[in-house]
Amino acid sequence: MNRRQTSLEARIATLKQAIVRLGDLRPGKLSQQYNVCGKADCRCKADPPQKHGPYYQLSFTRNGKSSTQFVRKEDLAVVRQQLRNYQRLRELIDRWIAWGMELSRLRLPQPSDRSRSVSPKRLKAESVVKRRYKKPISGPRKF
């Protein structure tokens, strides 16, 4: 095992520990909303209007389904931390994938490591994929 492999394995182990320590996770984006009510003499109808709010809304997509949740003001700090933890998780996973791909490439046998008993002709024959060609269908297709 070479030095680079050892280094990558140590980095990945450290990264895994960082993932375990992240805490609660929450995907999505947090937005601030201001609303106008239906009362005619309300402050939100004044000139200039003073809208009601802020109200905080969390939007996210999970398993192909979009969803929105309102977040109470007292829960805002916790939800923001969960969002940061999720972003950090994504960054760590991206780094893990990059390092894992490099490590996998390094672990593959190099051409100089292969046995000399395999002839170049045999290697070429093994790499060629044989394909079968079907006869073209003549006439209209029926489905």
Side-chain angles (χ1 to χ4, degrees), residues 16-135:
K16 287 177 183 178
Q17 292 170 358
I19 289 173
V20 169
R21 290 190 306 266
L22 276 178
D24 292 338
L25 307 168
R26 188 180 292 258
K29 299 284 181 191
L30 195 61
S31 63
Q32 212 174 24
Q33 308 283 323
Y34 291 89
N35 296 335
V36 177
C37 71
K39 295 180 184 176
D41 58 343
C42 185
R43 66 183 172 101
C44 64
K45 303 285 188 191
D47 189 26
Q50 296 175 348
K51 296 182 180 179
H52 300 284
Y55 300 104
Y56 297 93
Q57 192 172 11
L58 179 70
S59 302
F60 60 96
T61 302
R62 188 80 184 134
N63 297 327
K65 184 177 178 185
S66 296
S67 187
T68 303
Q69 297 173 346
F70 281 100
V71 178
R72 294 183 299 190
K73 215 174 223 178
E74 56 268 15
D75 297 334
L76 206 50
V78 174
V79 170
R80 283 186 173 141
Q81 182 60 48
Q82 291 170 346
L83 290 167
R84 280 192 299 272
N85 288 348
Y86 183 78
Q87 282 305 113
R88 179 74 177 140
L89 174 70
R90 298 293 301 254
E91 292 167 6
L92 292 172
I93 288 174
D94 285 344
R95 198 174 306 161
W96 187 357
I97 290 169
W99 289 343
M101 288 173 61
E102 184 178 349
L103 185 59
S104 297
R105 184 184 53 78
L106 290 172
R107 287 180 176 161
L108 289 176
Q110 300 303 314
S112 60
D113 296 343
R114 289 187 181 158
S115 168
R116 301 248 181 232
S117 63
V118 179
S119 70
K121 202 174 197 181
R122 182 174 172 200
L123 284 174
K124 185 177 177 184
E126 289 174 354
S127 67
V128 173
V129 177
K130 296 181 180 179
R131 296 182 181 155
R132 289 185 176 170
Y133 294 98
K134 293 184 179 180
K135 274 181 147 179

